[in-house]
Amino acid sequence: MRIAVYGASGFTGRLAVAELRRRGIATALVGRDPDRLQAVGGAGAAVRVADPADPAALTAAFADCDAVVNCAGPFTFWGEPVVRAAIGAGAHYVDTTGEQHYLRRVFDGFGAQAERAGVTVVPAMTDDGGPGDLIAALTAARVAPVDRLLIADLREPGSGASRGTARSMAAIGDEEPLEYRDGALRPADGPAPQPIVPPGGADAVPLSVFALPGVVTVPRHVTARRVHGAIRSEVAALFAALTPDVVESVPETVPEEVRSAGRWLMAAEAVGADGRSARGWVTGHDAYGLTAVIAVEGALRLAAGKAAPGVLSPAQAFEPAGFLDALAPSGVRWQVD
Ligand SMILES: NC(=O)c1ccc[n+]([C@@H]2O[C@H](COP(=O)([O-])OP(=O)(O)OC[C@H]3O[C@@H](n4cnc5c(N)ncnc54)[C@H](OP(=O)(O)O)[C@@H]3O)[C@@H](O)[C@H]2O)c1
């Protein structure tokens, strides 16, 4: 088995390569810059140069690979050529995007091609996109049929954001956050999210509307009138301050001690058509290290042929409780009340 990491030279890409090495999986380091790819190093890793503007080179780079882990963002700019090339090469695909409109284009644009090629595409396999979608599925199941479902990102301020994340936030800065309402994705102008008390916390945390990936992925498998996304208002304010000049001053990487100290937490609150409610949460530390684990775990499960072809949400591709349990060795805990 061989797994390609596109954007292997970046912060998240290097973490994904390290996770593949830890598991003893042969890896192809793919990207646009040979020097930066060579600098990732590692005995036996194949370095392959392919720019998103060169479809033939991209497809050739993935040709002998069972799956592609795409870590090159902003995905809004370079994501779709990599999805197309993976499908063309017959390689399954996961990525680390959190960009809602890109995600929507992948679901809308690549499903039929992926099915014809026998390839499974699962975007948004990150600390928020993967666990957020999986915990939403488990929470919704408690009160189905569901009227409304909130996905909330309650990560603590100070857990760190990379320059790549800042660039992606800036790239989508002009795009309207979406919510799912009455059968379609629409601009998020429904009722504002109410503050919620995080598990183990004493005080209610104010929330702001936010363009979470789960708003696009969850309605693929949960039938609900409304699915909306929110983030801790304090963190929303930090992201809103990312003007283009500030973005380029953000350090490229987040040091391991900052990552390990920072706690991320995804919550899902579902209200059934009969008024019953359920809340689920999933939490851990080191959002970037865990994103690499989630993306690699997903790619390996796809490579093992365990999902149907097409473009799927995490909860459609992977059994939700089993996948979250597989993250326990990385310190992930989850619960549905
Ligand atoms: N929870 C989440 O939502 C989450 C978590 C982790 C990561 N992410 C996302 O993952 C992405 C990567 O983040 P990061 O911190 O790893 O960023 P990074 O360190 O800046 O890495 C970006 C990667 O993309 C490549 N790249 C940039 N421009 C390119 C282009 N024009 N053509 C081809 N490749 C290009 C870079 O290649 P060079 O080395 O050649 O520049 C590098 O390998 C971001 O979109 C981030 O938002 C999301």
Side-chain angles (χ1 to χ4, degrees), residues 38-84:
Q38 288 292 353
V40 178
V47 167
R48 298 170 185 178
V49 178
D51 192 278
D54 186 345
L58 270 183
T59 309
F62 301 150
D64 64 346
C65 297
D66 298 273
V68 175
V69 177
N70 184 9
C71 302
F75 294 84
T76 297
F77 299 154
W78 346 110
E80 279 147 280
V82 184
V83 180
R84 196 170 292 113

Coordinates of all heavy atoms in Angstrom, one line a residue, residues 38-84:
Q38 N 11.9 17.7 -0.7 CA 13.1 16.9 -0.3 C 13.4 17.2 1.2 O 13.8 16.3 1.9 CB 14.3 17.4 -1.1 CG 14.3 16.9 -2.5 CD 14.4 15.3 -2.7 OE1 14.7 14.7 -1.7 NE2 14.2 14.8 -3.9
A39 N 13.2 18.4 1.7 CA 13.5 18.8 3.0 C 12.6 18.1 4.1 O 13.0 18.0 5.2 CB 13.3 20.3 3.2
V40 N 11.5 17.5 3.6 CA 10.6 16.7 4.5 C 11.4 15.5 4.9 O 11.3 14.9 6.0 CB 9.3 16.4 3.9 CG1 8.4 15.5 4.8 CG2 8.5 17.7 3.5
G41 N 12.2 15.0 4.0 CA 13.2 13.9 4.2 C 12.5 12.5 4.4 O 11.3 12.3 4.1
G42 N 13.2 11.6 5.0 CA 12.7 10.3 5.3 C 13.2 9.3 4.3 O 13.0 9.5 3.1
A43 N 13.8 8.2 4.8 CA 14.3 7.2 3.9 C 13.1 6.5 3.2 O 12.1 6.2 3.8 CB 15.1 6.2 4.7
G44 N 13.3 6.3 1.9 CA 12.3 5.5 1.1 C 11.1 6.3 0.7 O 10.2 5.7 0.0
A45 N 10.9 7.5 1.1 CA 9.7 8.3 0.7 C 9.9 8.8 -0.8 O 11.0 9.3 -1.1 CB 9.4 9.5 1.6
A46 N 9.0 8.6 -1.6 CA 9.1 9.0 -3.0 C 8.7 10.5 -3.1 O 7.6 10.8 -2.7 CB 8.2 8.1 -3.9
V47 N 9.6 11.3 -3.7 CA 9.2 12.7 -3.9 C 8.7 12.9 -5.3 O 9.4 12.5 -6.3 CB 10.5 13.6 -3.6 CG1 10.2 15.0 -4.1 CG2 10.8 13.6 -2.1
R48 N 7.6 13.5 -5.5 CA 7.0 13.7 -6.8 C 6.5 15.2 -6.9 O 5.7 15.6 -6.1 CB 5.8 12.8 -7.0 CG 6.3 11.3 -7.0 CD 5.2 10.3 -6.9 NE 5.7 9.0 -6.8 CZ 5.0 7.9 -6.7 NH1 3.7 8.0 -6.7 NH2 5.6 6.7 -6.5
V49 N 6.9 15.8 -8.0 CA 6.6 17.2 -8.1 C 5.4 17.4 -9.1 O 5.5 16.8 -10.2 CB 7.8 18.0 -8.7 CG1 7.5 19.5 -8.9 CG2 9.0 17.9 -7.7
A50 N 4.4 18.0 -8.7 CA 3.2 18.2 -9.5 C 2.4 19.5 -9.1 O 2.1 19.6 -7.9 CB 2.3 17.0 -9.4
D51 N 2.3 20.4 -10.0 CA 1.6 21.6 -9.7 C 0.1 21.4 -9.9 O -0.3 20.7 -10.9 CB 2.1 22.8 -10.6 CG 1.6 24.1 -10.2 OD1 0.5 24.5 -10.5 OD2 2.4 24.8 -9.5
P52 N -0.8 22.1 -9.2 CA -2.2 21.9 -9.4 C -2.6 22.3 -10.9 O -3.7 21.9 -11.4 CB -2.9 22.9 -8.4 CG -1.9 23.0 -7.4 CD -0.6 22.9 -8.0
A53 N -1.8 23.2 -11.5 CA -2.1 23.6 -12.9 C -1.7 22.5 -13.9 O -1.9 22.8 -15.1 CB -1.4 24.9 -13.2
D54 N -1.1 21.4 -13.5 CA -0.7 20.4 -14.4 C -1.4 19.1 -14.1 O -0.9 18.2 -13.4 CB 0.9 20.2 -14.3 CG 1.5 19.3 -15.3 OD1 0.7 18.5 -15.9 OD2 2.7 19.3 -15.4
P55 N -2.6 18.9 -14.7 CA -3.4 17.7 -14.4 C -2.7 16.4 -14.7 O -2.8 15.4 -13.9 CB -4.6 17.8 -15.3 CG -4.6 19.2 -15.8 CD -3.2 19.8 -15.7
A56 N -1.9 16.3 -15.8 CA -1.2 15.1 -16.1 C -0.2 14.7 -15.1 O -0.1 13.5 -14.7 CB -0.6 15.2 -17.5
A57 N 0.6 15.7 -14.6 CA 1.6 15.4 -13.6 C 1.0 15.0 -12.3 O 1.4 14.1 -11.6 CB 2.5 16.7 -13.4
L58 N -0.2 15.6 -12.0 CA -0.8 15.3 -10.7 C -1.3 13.8 -10.8 O -1.1 13.0 -9.8 CB -2.1 16.2 -10.5 CG -1.9 17.5 -9.8 CD1 -3.3 18.1 -9.7 CD2 -1.3 17.3 -8.4
T59 N -2.0 13.5 -11.9 CA -2.6 12.1 -12.0 C -1.4 11.1 -12.0 O -1.5 10.1 -11.3 CB -3.4 12.0 -13.3 OG1 -4.3 13.1 -13.4 CG2 -4.2 10.7 -13.4
A60 N -0.3 11.4 -12.7 CA 0.8 10.5 -12.7 C 1.4 10.3 -11.3 O 1.8 9.2 -10.9 CB 1.9 11.0 -13.7
A61 N 1.4 11.4 -10.5 CA 2.0 11.3 -9.2 C 1.2 10.4 -8.3 O 1.7 9.8 -7.3 CB 2.0 12.8 -8.6
F62 N -0.1 10.3 -8.6 CA -1.0 9.5 -7.7 C -1.2 8.1 -8.2 O -1.9 7.3 -7.6 CB -2.4 10.2 -7.5 CG -2.4 11.6 -7.0 CD1 -3.3 12.5 -7.3 CD2 -1.4 11.9 -6.0 CE1 -3.3 13.8 -6.8 CE2 -1.4 13.2 -5.5 CZ -2.3 14.1 -5.9
A63 N -0.7 7.8 -9.4 CA -1.1 6.6 -10.2 C -0.9 5.3 -9.4 O -1.7 4.4 -9.5 CB -0.3 6.5 -11.5
D64 N 0.2 5.2 -8.6 CA 0.4 3.9 -7.9 C 0.0 4.0 -6.4 O 0.5 3.2 -5.6 CB 1.9 3.5 -8.0 CG 2.8 4.5 -7.4 OD1 2.4 5.6 -7.0 OD2 4.0 4.1 -7.1
C65 N -0.8 5.0 -6.1 CA -1.2 5.2 -4.7 C -2.6 4.7 -4.5 O -3.5 4.9 -5.3 CB -1.1 6.7 -4.4 SG 0.6 7.3 -4.5
D66 N -2.8 4.2 -3.3 CA -4.2 3.7 -2.9 C -5.1 4.9 -2.5 O -6.3 4.8 -2.6 CB -4.0 2.7 -1.8 CG -3.2 1.5 -2.2 OD1 -3.8 0.6 -2.8 OD2 -2.0 1.5 -2.0
A67 N -4.5 5.9 -1.9 CA -5.3 7.0 -1.5 C -4.4 8.3 -1.4 O -3.2 8.2 -1.4 CB -5.8 6.8 -0.1
V68 N -5.1 9.4 -1.5 CA -4.4 10.7 -1.4 C -4.9 11.5 -0.2 O -6.1 11.5 0.1 CB -4.7 11.6 -2.7 CG1 -4.1 13.0 -2.5 CG2 -4.3 10.9 -3.9
V69 N -3.9 12.0 0.6 CA -4.3 12.9 1.7 C -3.9 14.3 1.2 O -2.7 14.6 1.1 CB -3.5 12.5 3.0 CG1 -3.8 13.5 4.1 CG2 -3.8 11.1 3.4
N70 N -4.9 15.2 1.0 CA -4.6 16.5 0.4 C -4.5 17.5 1.6 O -5.6 17.7 2.2 CB -5.6 16.9 -0.6 CG -5.3 18.2 -1.3 OD1 -4.2 18.8 -1.1 ND2 -6.2 18.7 -2.1
C71 N -3.4 18.1 1.8 CA -3.2 19.1 2.9 C -2.8 20.5 2.3 O -2.3 21.3 3.0 CB -2.1 18.7 3.8 SG -2.3 17.0 4.6
A72 N -3.0 20.7 1.0 CA -2.6 21.9 0.4 C -3.7 22.9 0.3 O -4.6 22.8 -0.5 CB -2.0 21.7 -1.0
G73 N -3.7 23.9 1.2 CA -4.7 24.9 1.2 C -4.2 26.3 0.8 O -2.9 26.4 0.7
P74 N -5.0 27.3 0.6 CA -6.5 27.3 0.7 C -7.0 26.4 -0.4 O -6.7 26.5 -1.6 CB -6.9 28.7 0.4 CG -5.7 29.5 0.8 CD -4.5 28.7 0.4
F75 N -7.9 25.5 0.0 CA -8.6 24.5 -0.9 C -9.4 25.3 -2.0 O -9.6 24.8 -3.1 CB -9.4 23.5 -0.2 CG -8.5 22.6 0.7 CD1 -8.1 23.0 1.9 CD2 -8.1 21.4 0.2 CE1 -7.2 22.2 2.7 CE2 -7.2 20.6 1.0 CZ -6.8 21.0 2.2
T76 N -10.0 26.4 -1.5 CA -10.7 27.2 -2.5 C -9.9 27.5 -3.7 O -10.5 27.6 -4.8 CB -11.1 28.6 -1.7 OG1 -11.9 28.2 -0.6 CG2 -11.8 29.6 -2.6
F77 N -8.6 27.6 -3.6 CA -7.7 27.9 -4.8 C -7.2 26.7 -5.4 O -7.2 26.6 -6.7 CB -6.5 28.8 -4.3 CG -6.9 30.1 -3.7 CD1 -6.0 30.7 -2.8 CD2 -8.1 30.8 -4.0 CE1 -6.3 32.0 -2.2 CE2 -8.4 32.0 -3.5 CZ -7.5 32.6 -2.6
W78 N -6.7 25.7 -4.6 CA -6.0 24.6 -5.3 C -6.6 23.2 -5.1 O -6.0 22.2 -5.4 CB -4.5 24.5 -4.9 CG -3.9 25.6 -4.1 CD1 -3.6 25.7 -2.8 CD2 -3.6 26.9 -4.7 NE1 -3.1 26.9 -2.5 CE2 -3.1 27.7 -3.6 CE3 -3.7 27.5 -5.9 CZ2 -2.6 29.0 -3.8 CZ3 -3.3 28.8 -6.1 CH2 -2.8 29.5 -5.0
G79 N -7.8 23.2 -4.4 CA -8.3 21.9 -4.0 C -8.9 21.0 -5.2 O -8.6 19.8 -5.3
E80 N -9.7 21.7 -6.0 CA -10.4 20.8 -7.0 C -9.5 20.1 -8.0 O -9.8 18.9 -8.3 CB -11.5 21.7 -7.7 CG -12.7 21.9 -6.9 CD -13.4 23.2 -7.0 OE1 -12.9 24.2 -6.4 OE2 -14.4 23.3 -7.8
P81 N -8.4 20.7 -8.5 CA -7.6 19.9 -9.4 C -7.0 18.6 -8.7 O -6.8 17.6 -9.4 CB -6.4 20.8 -9.8 CG -7.0 22.2 -9.5 CD -8.0 22.1 -8.4
V82 N -6.8 18.7 -7.4 CA -6.2 17.5 -6.7 C -7.3 16.4 -6.6 O -7.1 15.2 -6.8 CB -5.6 17.9 -5.4 CG1 -5.0 16.7 -4.7 CG2 -4.6 19.1 -5.5
V83 N -8.6 16.8 -6.3 CA -9.7 15.9 -6.2 C -9.8 15.2 -7.6 O -9.9 14.0 -7.7 CB -11.0 16.6 -5.9 CG1 -12.1 15.5 -5.8 CG2 -10.9 17.3 -4.6
R84 N -9.8 16.0 -8.7 CA -10.0 15.5 -10.0 C -8.9 14.5 -10.4 O -9.2 13.4 -11.0 CB -10.0 16.7 -11.0 CG -10.6 16.3 -12.4 CD -10.7 17.6 -13.2 NE -11.8 18.4 -12.7 CZ -11.6 19.7 -12.2 NH1 -10.4 20.2 -12.2 NH2 -12.6 20.4 -11.8

